[in-house]
Amino acid sequence: MEREELVERLIKWGYLKNPALIAAFRKVPRHEFVPSGERSYAYHDQPLPIGRGQTISAPSMIAIMMETLDLAPGMRVLEIGAGSGYNAALIAEVVGRKGLVVSVERIKELADFARENLRKTGYDWVKVVVGDGSLGYEEDAPWDRILVTACAPELPRPLVKQLKPGGKLGAPVGRDYMFQTWTVVEKTETGEISITEHGGCSFVPLIGRCGWKLED
């Protein structure tokens, strides 16, 4: 099975380590989260177009992102950039229904695509919201984890503010559209911030009040 072969490769290459995350990658059907014309490539380790100039990241990059966040059951997780809904499904599989998963998407067409993909794969309890992701989602804050799937020139302050003490935020940060650094923010119990960098990456820009402007 292609999905199992992909997971085994990601484990062998060192991208996947967390048992709960490995189980999520095995269970969530990635082919249900890509356009029909791209399904034959669903289990290749490469990004794929999903429309409106957006992409679903390569599985290895998704594994890197998820591993750095240390997801666990019951967590409240905010995703910025729903895309096709695949990341949200993986997160939902790890945190479970006792947790909360909210994904904010700027483009309504993609939000609808993600919502439908999540519905048909059994993750209809994930909340997909249309809005400016650079501002976070104050309504259900604070968050144990925040995953940002579009690059920002700097860490959006509203997202850091909405992070719980003890929480983690992962985001691609950089002022170059083609190359950024996967950056993880940890907020201590006293509210102090520590930042670590986890290598280069390339993401579409985060458009919004605290991200890139459309004319940038």
Side-chain angles (χ1 to χ4, degrees):
M1 182 185 230
E2 284 188 293
R3 195 187 321 171
E4 179 61 26
E5 289 174 359
L6 171 65
V7 173
E8 289 300 323
R9 287 198 301 272
L10 294 176
I11 295 170
K12 180 180 179 180
W13 296 337
Y15 292 113
L16 278 177
K17 300 169 185 174
N18 182 325
L21 200 51
I22 291 171
F25 268 77
R26 284 191 165 122
K27 184 172 180 181
V28 178
R30 192 171 191 255
H31 62 276
E32 296 285 3
F33 291 86
V34 300
S36 57
E38 302 293 337
R39 285 195 170 193
S40 61
Y41 303 102
Y43 298 104
H44 292 203
D45 189 30
Q46 64 186 68
L48 297 171
I50 56 173
R52 297 295 300 271
Q54 307 299 299
T55 61
I56 178 174
S57 295
S60 57
M61 188 66 236
I62 295 172
I64 290 170
M65 297 190 299
M66 301 284 185
E67 286 281 358
T68 58
L69 287 184
D70 298 319
L71 297 167
M75 283 184 170
R76 300 168 62 84
V77 183
L78 174 65
E79 179 191 28
I80 305 303
S84 69
Y86 180 66
N87 292 340
L90 290 170
I91 294 168
E93 191 60 41
V94 175
V95 306
R97 288 179 177 267
K98 289 185 178 180
L100 174 67
V101 182
V102 176
S103 189
V104 181
E105 174 57 55
R106 179 178 64 90
I107 303 169
K108 182 181 182 301
E109 180 183 338
L110 288 182
D112 291 342
F113 182 52
R115 199 176 289 116
E116 173 58 20
N117 292 338
L118 288 161
R119 183 201 63 76
K120 70 185 181 185
T121 52
Y123 302 100
D124 55 343
W125 54 275
V126 171
K127 186 175 178 182
V128 180
V129 179
V130 177
D132 181 351
S134 73
L135 301 178
Y137 193 66
E138 188 70 48
E139 183 176 322
D140 289 319
W143 303 96
D144 294 299
R145 299 290 188 266
I146 299 176
L147 173 67
V148 185
T149 64
C151 75
E154 56 188 29
L155 289 164
R157 290 185 181 180
L159 300 184
V160 177
K161 182 179 179 182
Q162 290 173 30
L163 196 61
K164 273 186 184 179
K168 284 187 176 185
L169 178 157
V173 179
R175 293 187 173 274
D176 188 323
Y177 271 19
M178 299 303 294
F179 184 82
Q180 305 96 39
T181 300
W182 184 252
T183 304
V184 175
V185 175
E186 293 188 62
K187 183 181 283 189
T188 68
E189 295 296 338
T190 58
E192 296 177 346
I193 297 297
S194 68
I195 297 175
T196 56
E197 297 182 346
H198 297 263
C201 54
S202 182
F203 284 78
V204 296
L206 175 66
I207 305 296
R209 193 185 305 172
C210 294
W212 298 98
K213 307 302 185 287
L214 279 172
E215 65 273 13
D216 284 351

